[in-house]
Amino acid sequence: MDFGTLRLEVASRGFDYLLTDNAGEQRLKRWVNLAYTEVCESDDWSFLRTTTTGSAPLSVTDLGSIANIRNSTLDTAMEYRDERDLIDLFGDLTVTGDARFYYLTGEDTIAVFPADTTSTLKVTYWKVPTELSADSDTPLLPSRYHMAIVEYAVAHAYKDNDNPQAAQVARQEGDRLVQLMRARLLVPSHQGT
């Protein structure tokens, strides 16, 4: 389902009055995007896993969580350390050399220690998907699980309309679909013994 269809599906659950004005449409958009974010952040999904390369400091605007970072120039794995720990251990983080550790500055910038602007980093990570905005935008998750977005959006709608019982029912159905998605997409193949 695309973004327009997702919103219509949510509206068809008793919220079609929201389609009559811009403020209502904005509420539907917000609920669908909140639901989409919830589904995507519920696990490290393969459809969100990606890589990027560059030298440090490396800004990765859609950085979610990091799987691993390699110094491609030296063909070595890099170890994560908190910036404060590196300062405690080594003091001056501007010392140059071959990068062995990485740390985050802000939400989306990867820095290294020793400081090294010549090595190429290969970052494998789970991205934060872009919010849906155009009617034709399609969520990244497999289409057979798009109803999880609908159920979570409906739960937000009911919660917003002070109907916690209906919100709980919709949330439980969304949870069931996400659990099914988890079982199908994250459990290894059934091959072998």
Side-chain angles (χ1 to χ4, degrees), residues 35-121:
Y36 180 39
T37 299
E38 284 180 84
V39 172
C40 289
E41 290 187 352
S42 66
D43 229 311
D44 290 332
W45 304 107
S46 59
F47 55 83
L48 296 175
R49 190 176 169 122
T50 190
T51 60
T52 191
T53 59
S55 58
L58 179 60
S59 177
V60 183
T61 57
D62 62 351
L63 184 65
S65 58
I66 297 171
N68 65 66
I69 298 180
R70 292 195 62 77
N71 182 327
S72 297
T73 305
L74 301 175
D75 195 28
T76 58
M78 298 189 63
E79 182 182 335
Y80 171 78
R81 287 288 177 98
D82 184 274
E83 182 178 15
R84 294 167 296 191
D85 292 340
L86 289 170
I87 292 169
D88 288 346
L89 290 169
F90 302 107
D92 183 7
L93 297 186
T94 63
V95 171
T96 59
D98 292 332
R100 296 182 301 149
F101 303 103
Y102 74 90
Y103 59 97
L104 296 175
T105 60
E107 290 184 20
D108 63 3
T109 302
I110 299 164
V112 296
F113 181 80
D116 180 353
T117 58
T118 59
S119 291
T120 299
L121 306 179

